């Protein structure tokens, strides 16, 4: 493609023709990704009128842009690459701090301000819907019992004892009988 002079550029602009300038061929793929990511952040700022911010109430893309912008601010090589492109002053070290929170809070105070009970048991450490070893042994014992094939001959005895259960002596005898016959 031929190089255009300033006059050529002005003439093409008046005609409504956009001329794409070639990107610097000396950039690495990483640098191209960094620039492209920063341009996305700049478009967000143009559309919304403010830099991307952190927070649960924010859109997921805004939160992603906020994390990306924080990282770009931290990395010296990225700052040096992006400073000529920063037309909105986004690379200035601006920190976002929700109202009422400071970096000087200890863990307990921070948890209390967030409404989290520090002494509450964690869901991970509390077992639910898990049977104890004793409950498992009882279930296995019941599962291993065998049906009494000749229960018919013992049935009248059980019915008689069941009728006498309100009497304390009979209840003890009934339990002892069940135990001796292996029913308990």
């Amino acid at each position: 493609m031929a190089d255009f002079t300033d006059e050529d550029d002005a003439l093409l602009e008046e005609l409504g023709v956009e001329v794409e300038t070639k990107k610097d061929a000396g950039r690495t793929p990483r640098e191209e990704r960094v620039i492209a990511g920063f341009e996305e952040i700049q478009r967000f700022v143009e559309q919304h009128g403010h830099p991307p911010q952190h927070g649960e109430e924010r859109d997921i893309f805004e939160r992603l842009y906020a994390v990306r912008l924080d990282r770009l601010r931290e990395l010296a090589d990225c700052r040096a690459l992006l400073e000529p492109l920063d037309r909105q002053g986004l690379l200035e070290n601006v920190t976002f701090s929700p109202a009422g929170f400071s970096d000087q809070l200890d863990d307990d105070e921070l948890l209390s301000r967030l409404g989290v009970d520090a002494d509450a048991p964690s869901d991970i450490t509390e077992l639910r819907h898990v049977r104890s070893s004793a409950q498992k042994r009882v279930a296995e014992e019941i599962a291993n019992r065998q049906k009494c094939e000749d229960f018919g001959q013992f049935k009248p005895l059980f019915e008689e004892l069941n009728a006498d259960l309100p009497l304390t002596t009979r209840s003890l005898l009934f339990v002892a009988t069940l135990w001796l016959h292996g029913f308990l």
Side-chain angles (χ1 to χ4, degrees):
M1 180 175 208
D3 291 330
F4 293 111
T5 64
D6 289 338
E7 288 178 5
D8 295 335
D9 287 340
L11 179 62
L12 288 172
E13 187 176 318
E14 285 182 29
L15 293 173
V17 177
E18 290 186 30
V19 178
E20 288 187 31
T21 57
K22 275 192 168 181
K23 294 183 179 180
D24 185 10
R27 292 192 175 130
T28 66
R30 179 183 180 270
E31 291 172 335
E32 292 293 333
R33 285 192 309 270
V34 168
I35 291 171
F38 188 68
E39 288 172 349
E40 287 179 15
I41 295 170
Q42 287 180 319
R43 280 191 295 276
F44 174 86
V45 172
E46 288 170 1
Q47 290 174 350
H48 295 91
H50 63 85
Q53 297 175 353
H54 301 279
E56 288 292 322
E57 69 282 353
R58 304 287 180 182
D59 180 61
I60 185 68
F61 291 107
E62 181 174 0
R63 293 176 7 211
L64 288 172
Y65 293 149
V67 170
R68 183 184 297 166
L69 183 59
D70 289 345
R71 188 70 178 139
L72 292 174
R73 287 175 180 157
E74 292 172 4
L75 299 173
D77 61 329
C78 291
R79 286 181 66 99
L81 176 68
L82 297 173
E83 281 176 349
L85 304 173
D86 187 15
R87 62 185 181 274
Q88 298 160 324
L90 296 173
L91 294 177
E92 297 173 12
N93 278 332
V94 178
T95 57
F96 173 74
S97 177
F101 290 92
S102 81
D103 294 338
Q104 304 303 321
L105 297 178
D106 66 342
D107 292 343
D108 294 331
E109 188 177 349
L110 179 61
L111 288 174
S112 68
R113 285 195 181 187
L114 291 172
V116 177
D117 185 13
D119 296 330
S122 172
D123 287 341
I124 293 175
T125 60
E126 184 180 322
L127 293 177
R128 291 186 231 157
H129 311 295
V130 177
R131 293 187 291 173
S132 68
S133 297
Q135 290 173 323
K136 289 178 186 176
R137 279 194 301 272
V138 168
E140 287 174 3
E141 182 181 327
I142 291 171
N144 290 331
R145 290 183 182 172
Q146 296 178 0
K147 183 178 178 182
C148 181
E149 298 297 332
D150 56 348
F151 181 73
Q153 78 181 50
F154 297 106
K155 187 173 180 181
L157 180 63
F158 276 105
E159 290 171 349
E160 179 187 337
L161 290 172
N162 193 24
D164 292 342
L165 271 180
L167 304 173
T168 55
T169 56
R170 274 299 198 182
S171 62
L172 291 174
L173 288 172
F174 179 68
V175 171
T177 306
L178 290 176
W179 183 75
L180 284 173
H181 289 286
F183 293 108
L184 290 179

